[in-house]
Amino acid sequence: MNQDHIIPSHVSRQLNDWLEYFRDLGFDGFYLKHAAEAPAAGAGQTASVHQPAGAEATPHEPVFPSPQPPQTMSLFEPQPAVAARETLEGIRANLGECQRCKLWRGRKHIVFGQGNPSAELVFIGEGPGADEDEQGLPFVGRAGQLLNRMLQFIQVRREDVYICNVVKCRPPGNRTPETDEITSCSPFLFRQIGAILPRLICCLGAPAARTVLGIKEGITKVHGRFYDYAGIKAMATVHPAYVLRNVREEVILREDFEKIRAFLSAR
Ligand code: URA
């Protein structure tokens, strides 16, 4: 047997953890460089995974590479996410029966997203509420009915847009998602956007605006402005649930949906 091709089982486990980690970040293309092409590999060495200084490899602890120039990762180099466009089905399959953050404990259903996988317009809410958790679909409760009315107002059919949330599981008592929950879940949101590549993203409420656009100011200040998200136009408006509690603010939602209509009709 050719000894060059044997990978010790603990290295194989580490590689597996490492690949899972990058898959969660959206990298799905990897290639194996021949040992002869890898300058850092010594004679007779077939694989070397870079470890952070001081980190000892143990069979059960994932060892993730620290950011380094590619030559320090001699055999396996992730390709950029733009190399292959993912599908929503593939991202959903990768999400699986997610337990990446604590929200899984209280959920009935994961609410991944709903709508046209080639939508021109993507809405991003905060997180599922009770009705959404029950049905596994986004914006099906009272806030969803208001969103439906706004879509009718601009003559856009709900089935033509894509609707999803920053976190895919219901936060207990409908509280705002916490930072660690957003950190775990948002890579899936970014991958969804990358799979759809819409013309316009509309963030509904502050958590979506903060996560997608890094906006820290209040929504009532920045609503209706156009921003850029990785070459895609994006805007933020007030969350429909906020409007349900502050009915006078419906005017903001209407104004912003008018802007969406104008944007989509300009080619
Ligand atoms: N509020 C949200 O932010 N998302 C939903 O799906 C429902 C209500």
mmCIF file of all heavy atoms in Angstrom, residues 110-127:
data_model
loop_
_atom_site.group_PDB
_atom_site.id
_atom_site.type_symbol
_atom_site.label_atom_id
_atom_site.label_comp_id
_atom_site.label_asym_id
_atom_site.label_seq_id
_atom_site.Cartn_x
_atom_site.Cartn_y
_atom_site.Cartn_z
ATOM 1 N N ILE A 110 -38.138 24.651 12.541
ATOM 2 C CA ILE A 110 -37.192 25.610 11.969
ATOM 3 C C ILE A 110 -37.939 26.373 10.879
ATOM 4 O O ILE A 110 -38.641 25.774 10.064
ATOM 5 C CB ILE A 110 -35.976 24.880 11.354
ATOM 6 C CG1 ILE A 110 -35.125 24.247 12.459
ATOM 7 C CG2 ILE A 110 -35.142 25.829 10.496
ATOM 8 C CD1 ILE A 110 -33.938 23.434 11.957
ATOM 9 N N VAL A 111 -37.807 27.701 10.901
ATOM 10 C CA VAL A 111 -38.451 28.517 9.863
ATOM 11 C C VAL A 111 -37.340 29.005 8.937
ATOM 12 O O VAL A 111 -36.690 30.023 9.196
ATOM 13 C CB VAL A 111 -39.231 29.693 10.494
ATOM 14 C CG1 VAL A 111 -39.890 30.538 9.411
ATOM 15 C CG2 VAL A 111 -40.267 29.172 11.483
ATOM 16 N N PHE A 112 -37.110 28.267 7.891
ATOM 17 C CA PHE A 112 -35.954 28.536 7.025
ATOM 18 C C PHE A 112 -36.206 29.750 6.127
ATOM 19 O O PHE A 112 -35.371 30.639 5.997
ATOM 20 C CB PHE A 112 -35.671 27.295 6.168
ATOM 21 C CG PHE A 112 -34.488 27.443 5.254
ATOM 22 C CD1 PHE A 112 -33.207 27.535 5.766
ATOM 23 C CD2 PHE A 112 -34.665 27.488 3.875
ATOM 24 C CE1 PHE A 112 -32.102 27.680 4.910
ATOM 25 C CE2 PHE A 112 -33.568 27.627 3.026
ATOM 26 C CZ PHE A 112 -32.299 27.717 3.552
ATOM 27 N N GLY A 113 -37.373 29.768 5.495
ATOM 28 C CA GLY A 113 -37.687 30.847 4.559
ATOM 29 C C GLY A 113 -38.720 30.334 3.585
ATOM 30 O O GLY A 113 -38.996 29.137 3.523
ATOM 31 N N GLN A 114 -39.320 31.254 2.834
ATOM 32 C CA GLN A 114 -40.384 30.850 1.917
ATOM 33 C C GLN A 114 -40.391 31.794 0.729
ATOM 34 O O GLN A 114 -40.184 32.997 0.892
ATOM 35 C CB GLN A 114 -41.747 30.949 2.631
ATOM 36 C CG GLN A 114 -42.919 30.496 1.802
ATOM 37 C CD GLN A 114 -44.249 30.824 2.461
ATOM 38 O OE1 GLN A 114 -44.397 31.868 3.099
ATOM 39 N NE2 GLN A 114 -45.222 29.945 2.311
ATOM 40 N N GLY A 115 -40.668 31.244 -0.433
ATOM 41 C CA GLY A 115 -40.862 32.102 -1.592
ATOM 42 C C GLY A 115 -40.097 31.658 -2.805
ATOM 43 O O GLY A 115 -39.627 30.520 -2.901
ATOM 44 N N ASN A 116 -39.965 32.605 -3.710
ATOM 45 C CA ASN A 116 -39.356 32.348 -5.009
ATOM 46 C C ASN A 116 -37.824 32.293 -4.876
ATOM 47 O O ASN A 116 -37.209 33.281 -4.462
ATOM 48 C CB ASN A 116 -39.776 33.498 -5.945
ATOM 49 C CG ASN A 116 -39.243 33.334 -7.352
ATOM 50 O OD1 ASN A 116 -38.395 32.487 -7.605
ATOM 51 N ND2 ASN A 116 -39.749 34.156 -8.256
ATOM 52 N N PRO A 117 -37.210 31.165 -5.238
ATOM 53 C CA PRO A 117 -35.749 31.070 -5.110
ATOM 54 C C PRO A 117 -34.998 32.000 -6.065
ATOM 55 O O PRO A 117 -33.784 32.187 -5.917
ATOM 56 C CB PRO A 117 -35.451 29.596 -5.425
ATOM 57 C CG PRO A 117 -36.665 29.056 -6.071
ATOM 58 C CD PRO A 117 -37.832 29.925 -5.695
ATOM 59 N N SER A 118 -35.715 32.586 -7.041
ATOM 60 C CA SER A 118 -35.067 33.568 -7.933
ATOM 61 C C SER A 118 -35.690 34.944 -7.742
ATOM 62 O O SER A 118 -35.759 35.740 -8.684
ATOM 63 C CB SER A 118 -35.238 33.155 -9.399
ATOM 64 O OG SER A 118 -34.993 31.797 -9.578
ATOM 65 N N ALA A 119 -36.155 35.217 -6.535
ATOM 66 C CA ALA A 119 -36.870 36.480 -6.287
ATOM 67 C C ALA A 119 -36.006 37.709 -6.567
ATOM 68 O O ALA A 119 -34.798 37.704 -6.327
ATOM 69 C CB ALA A 119 -37.344 36.502 -4.839
ATOM 70 N N GLU A 120 -36.678 38.757 -7.049
ATOM 71 C CA GLU A 120 -35.982 40.049 -7.201
ATOM 72 C C GLU A 120 -35.927 40.776 -5.865
ATOM 73 O O GLU A 120 -35.103 41.661 -5.666
ATOM 74 C CB GLU A 120 -36.743 40.922 -8.192
ATOM 75 C CG GLU A 120 -36.727 40.412 -9.617
ATOM 76 C CD GLU A 120 -37.052 41.518 -10.593
ATOM 77 O OE1 GLU A 120 -37.881 42.388 -10.253
ATOM 78 O OE2 GLU A 120 -36.451 41.517 -11.676
ATOM 79 N N LEU A 121 -36.847 40.409 -4.983
ATOM 80 C CA LEU A 121 -36.990 41.131 -3.717
ATOM 81 C C LEU A 121 -36.984 40.131 -2.562
ATOM 82 O O LEU A 121 -37.741 39.157 -2.573
ATOM 83 C CB LEU A 121 -38.332 41.891 -3.752
ATOM 84 C CG LEU A 121 -38.788 42.617 -2.505
ATOM 85 C CD1 LEU A 121 -37.771 43.671 -2.064
ATOM 86 C CD2 LEU A 121 -40.157 43.283 -2.759
ATOM 87 N N VAL A 122 -36.101 40.380 -1.593
ATOM 88 C CA VAL A 122 -36.017 39.516 -0.402
ATOM 89 C C VAL A 122 -36.330 40.352 0.836
ATOM 90 O O VAL A 122 -35.767 41.433 1.015
ATOM 91 C CB VAL A 122 -34.610 38.884 -0.275
ATOM 92 C CG1 VAL A 122 -34.428 38.236 1.095
ATOM 93 C CG2 VAL A 122 -34.376 37.846 -1.364
ATOM 94 N N PHE A 123 -37.238 39.857 1.668
ATOM 95 C CA PHE A 123 -37.525 40.492 2.956
ATOM 96 C C PHE A 123 -36.850 39.690 4.059
ATOM 97 O O PHE A 123 -36.910 38.449 4.061
ATOM 98 C CB PHE A 123 -39.035 40.523 3.230
ATOM 99 C CG PHE A 123 -39.769 41.505 2.372
ATOM 100 C CD1 PHE A 123 -40.416 41.091 1.214
ATOM 101 C CD2 PHE A 123 -39.802 42.850 2.706
ATOM 102 C CE1 PHE A 123 -41.089 41.997 0.405
ATOM 103 C CE2 PHE A 123 -40.463 43.770 1.904
ATOM 104 C CZ PHE A 123 -41.112 43.339 0.747
ATOM 105 N N ILE A 124 -36.241 40.418 4.983
ATOM 106 C CA ILE A 124 -35.584 39.752 6.114
ATOM 107 C C ILE A 124 -36.160 40.306 7.415
ATOM 108 O O ILE A 124 -36.028 41.499 7.712
ATOM 109 C CB ILE A 124 -34.060 39.962 6.074
ATOM 110 C CG1 ILE A 124 -33.499 39.432 4.749
ATOM 111 C CG2 ILE A 124 -33.398 39.263 7.269
ATOM 112 C CD1 ILE A 124 -32.047 39.805 4.496
ATOM 113 N N GLY A 125 -36.820 39.432 8.157
ATOM 114 C CA GLY A 125 -37.355 39.815 9.464
ATOM 115 C C GLY A 125 -36.376 39.443 10.561
ATOM 116 O O GLY A 125 -35.204 39.133 10.311
ATOM 117 N N GLU A 126 -36.909 39.428 11.772
ATOM 118 C CA GLU A 126 -36.056 39.239 12.941
ATOM 119 C C GLU A 126 -35.934 37.750 13.306
ATOM 120 O O GLU A 126 -34.840 37.176 13.312
ATOM 121 C CB GLU A 126 -36.733 40.042 14.058
ATOM 122 C CG GLU A 126 -36.026 40.104 15.332
ATOM 123 C CD GLU A 126 -36.753 41.065 16.291
ATOM 124 O OE1 GLU A 126 -37.256 42.126 15.848
ATOM 125 O OE2 GLU A 126 -36.826 40.741 17.477
ATOM 126 N N GLY A 127 -37.069 37.158 13.551
ATOM 127 C CA GLY A 127 -37.101 35.746 13.922
ATOM 128 C C GLY A 127 -38.537 35.302 14.011
ATOM 129 O O GLY A 127 -39.440 36.133 14.155
#
